[in-house]
Amino acid sequence: MTEPALESADSRSLSVDEMADLYRRYAPQGTRYAFSMLRNTSDAEDITQDAFCRLLSTQNSEADGNAEGRFRRLFFASIRNLCIDRIRAARRHRNISFESSREAVANPPIAAQRDTSDGVTAKNIQRIETCVVAALEDMPRNWSDALKLKINGELSYAEIANILNSTHAQVRTWIYRARRRLETALDKAGLNMVSK
Amino acid sequence: MSHRADPETCELLGSLLSAQRDGELDPAEMETVNRYLETSPSCRQTLAAFAQIDELVFAVSSPREPACEPANECGPGGPYRVDQSRASQLRTKFFTRGGSLAAAALVLIALTLTAIPPDSSVTGDQIALPLTELEWISDEQEASQARLLKTMELELRALKLQLANLDVPTDPDADFAEENQRIRAKLNALIDKVHQFTKTES
């Protein structure tokens, strides 16, 4: 299905094929968002697929607004809810923070993805990502959620506000504060690469 | 425009600069921010810092592909070796070679799980585990699967022998003979497929 066809699919239910097309389009962003919450690749993929399965049964119950916008909102809201459920369940059984930090330390994404023979540079990159992950975990959840939905989900402030049950103005403030908090954390660690 | 209080002004405009980066300003706000951006180095630096932070958040949110587990069996780099191109290459390699192979392997699993005797050296877990995650196959897993398929080939050959040695009644039931023949043909076809795969691997 082409994008114009989807855009014109206002206030009507999507077919399974149309939803599958949207899923293929948004699955990478959804997985990235889930990973940013769970820090676990396979869990993130599972959650993204689970969210889609949920949508298959709930999408038809709503017929308001643009079809693709509706899908995006419900898709990312489902991913967020499923991630929170997964984190809560894991915390009941074991200390997920330990597991997450262990994977984060053992599995540095940026350092590993960059081909560098410069050990010092690789070490710095690893420090930066450790710092970013820690800062995201330390800030209020709404701040980090809003920023992650913006960057990983590429959602608008209005869509994020809908998912987080908030307002456009509040989301704007949360995202700004999240960026400032990250900037401060990088400054404190002497890792801010933008000269002041 | 005065720049004496430039950093302080930028601090006040921070929320607008952040929203400007996200394309979430209304026209009036956009005009104000753009005016400051033209004349204020601090505001431009703030915007650059936000861009850098977004890149970092995006980077740390990129899922990685497991290459080897557990951690103590891996070489330098920890339990996950991130090599997207290699992983992609492996996936392509496996699935281009393995469209029919994967189907055959699954049939083999089902057949073997139901057919091999309880005292077999190959357990259900050994067969099922490596093939449940075909998409994330690494070098080690690939070698392990080749060995596994070789074992399965031997198991199937043993099964074929067992089938041939079945104590067929002197006046065999026509249906039984037909079923025997059908299973034998299927086993032969599967053995050929597995043998082709293991031959390619070696």
Side-chain angles (χ1 to χ4, degrees):
Chain A
M1 169 175 240
T2 61
E3 287 192 35
L6 272 175
E7 283 165 5
S8 67
D10 288 351
S11 48
R12 72 168 175 82
S13 297
L14 291 170
S15 71
V16 172
D17 285 343
E18 288 170 335
M19 289 184 68
D21 280 338
L22 286 173
Y23 174 73
R24 278 190 285 274
R25 195 184 307 167
Y26 290 109
Q29 296 165 21
T31 304
R32 184 174 289 115
Y33 173 57
F35 180 82
S36 71
M37 292 185 76
L38 300 172
R39 312 300 307 163
N40 181 292
T41 307
S42 54
D43 282 355
E45 290 166 347
D46 289 347
I47 291 279
T48 307
Q49 289 174 14
D50 288 350
F52 176 66
C53 293
R54 275 194 176 189
L55 283 194
L56 284 177
S57 57
T58 60
Q59 173 84 356
N60 289 341
S61 64
E62 292 193 29
D64 60 309
N66 172 272
E68 184 170 353
R70 191 167 68 238
F71 178 91
R72 281 158 58 97
R73 178 166 54 78
L74 292 174
F75 184 51
F76 282 94
S78 292
I79 290 174
R80 180 173 183 272
N81 291 337
L82 288 168
C83 284
I84 290 171
D85 288 347
R86 182 71 63 96
I87 290 167
R88 283 177 181 157
R91 279 185 176 153
R92 278 198 292 273
H93 296 290
R94 59 188 165 88
N95 187 340
I96 194 172
S97 297
F98 170 73
E99 294 296 324
S100 300
S101 57
R102 192 177 63 169
E103 185 182 348
V105 169
N107 184 17
I110 307 174
Q113 285 171 14
R114 287 186 186 169
D115 181 20
T116 172
S117 56
D118 183 348
V120 177
T121 306
K123 194 175 176 183
N124 274 342
I125 290 170
Q126 193 168 336
R127 282 181 61 212
I128 289 170
E129 53 191 306
T130 303
C131 178
V132 170
V133 170
L136 283 169
E137 287 180 0
D138 286 345
M139 69 179 68
R141 168 166 271 170
N142 281 338
W143 298 11
S144 58
D145 271 0
L147 186 64
K148 288 169 182 174
L149 284 166
K150 180 71 227 173
I151 294 172
N152 298 319
E154 298 173 22
L155 302 185
S156 69
Y157 284 7
E159 289 172 316
I160 296 169
N162 199 303
I163 290 170
L164 300 181
N165 289 320
S166 184
T167 63
H168 185 281
Q170 188 70 72
V171 167
R172 178 199 278 197
T173 305
W174 285 342
I175 289 177
Y176 166 61
R177 286 180 180 165
R179 283 174 171 148
R180 277 293 192 213
R181 181 68 69 88
L182 282 162
E183 188 185 18
T184 305
L186 289 167
D187 278 341
K188 277 184 183 171
L191 295 168
N192 199 335
M193 289 178 279
V194 177
S195 59
K196 291 271 180 184
Chain B
M1 181 182 296
S2 169
H3 287 271
R4 277 187 305 178
D6 186 29
E8 287 81 359
T9 308
C10 263
E11 187 66 33
L12 292 172
L13 287 176
S15 171
L16 290 178
L17 289 168
S18 173
Q20 193 264 8
R21 169 158 177 76
D22 296 329
E24 295 276 354
L25 292 180
D26 63 40
E29 291 172 325
M30 183 68 86
E31 192 181 333
T32 304
V33 169
N34 285 342
R35 199 168 58 238
Y36 266 90
L37 280 173
E38 283 173 12
T39 58
S40 164
S42 289
C43 286
R44 286 198 293 272
Q45 277 183 353
T46 299
L47 207 55
F50 288 163
Q52 179 210 346
I53 282 160
D54 287 0
E55 284 176 18
L56 290 173
V57 172
F58 185 87
V60 301
S61 303
S62 298
R64 287 88 75 184
E65 298 167 6
C68 56
E69 290 186 277
N72 58 8
E73 289 182 6
C74 297
Y80 286 74
R81 181 193 58 212
V82 179
D83 186 343
Q84 304 285 351
S85 60
R86 175 63 181 151
S88 169
Q89 186 187 354
L90 281 172
R91 277 200 302 280
T92 308
K93 181 182 167 190
F94 189 86
F95 283 110
T96 49
R97 179 184 59 209
S100 59
L101 175 66
L106 291 172
V107 172
L108 277 171
I109 293 167
L111 186 66
T112 312
L113 283 175
T114 53
I116 56 178
D119 60 346
S120 163
S121 58
V122 180
T123 67
D125 284 346
Q126 281 176 309
I127 294 163
L129 276 177
L131 291 168
T132 53
E133 295 184 319
L134 291 175
E135 197 174 354
W136 305 121
I137 186 167
S138 67
D139 286 339
E140 288 174 9
Q141 287 173 316
E142 195 170 19
S144 167
Q145 287 188 5
R147 285 194 298 274
L148 184 68
L149 285 171
K150 185 69 184 170
T151 308
M152 288 168 68
E153 180 187 3
L154 296 174
E155 291 285 344
L156 284 169
R157 286 187 187 282
L159 188 65
K160 186 183 172 188
L161 281 174
Q162 286 176 18
L163 195 64
N165 292 333
L166 276 177
D167 189 14
V168 182
T170 48
D171 185 16
D173 186 305
D175 288 343
F176 177 86
E178 192 178 321
E179 181 68 5
N180 188 319
Q181 191 62 34
R182 193 184 63 78
I183 293 174
R184 191 172 302 188
K186 187 183 276 185
L187 279 172
N188 279 332
L190 288 171
I191 289 169
D192 285 346
K193 280 186 181 174
V194 174
H195 183 64
Q196 282 173 12
F197 173 63
T198 51
K199 207 168 144 186
T200 309
E201 283 298 298
S202 60

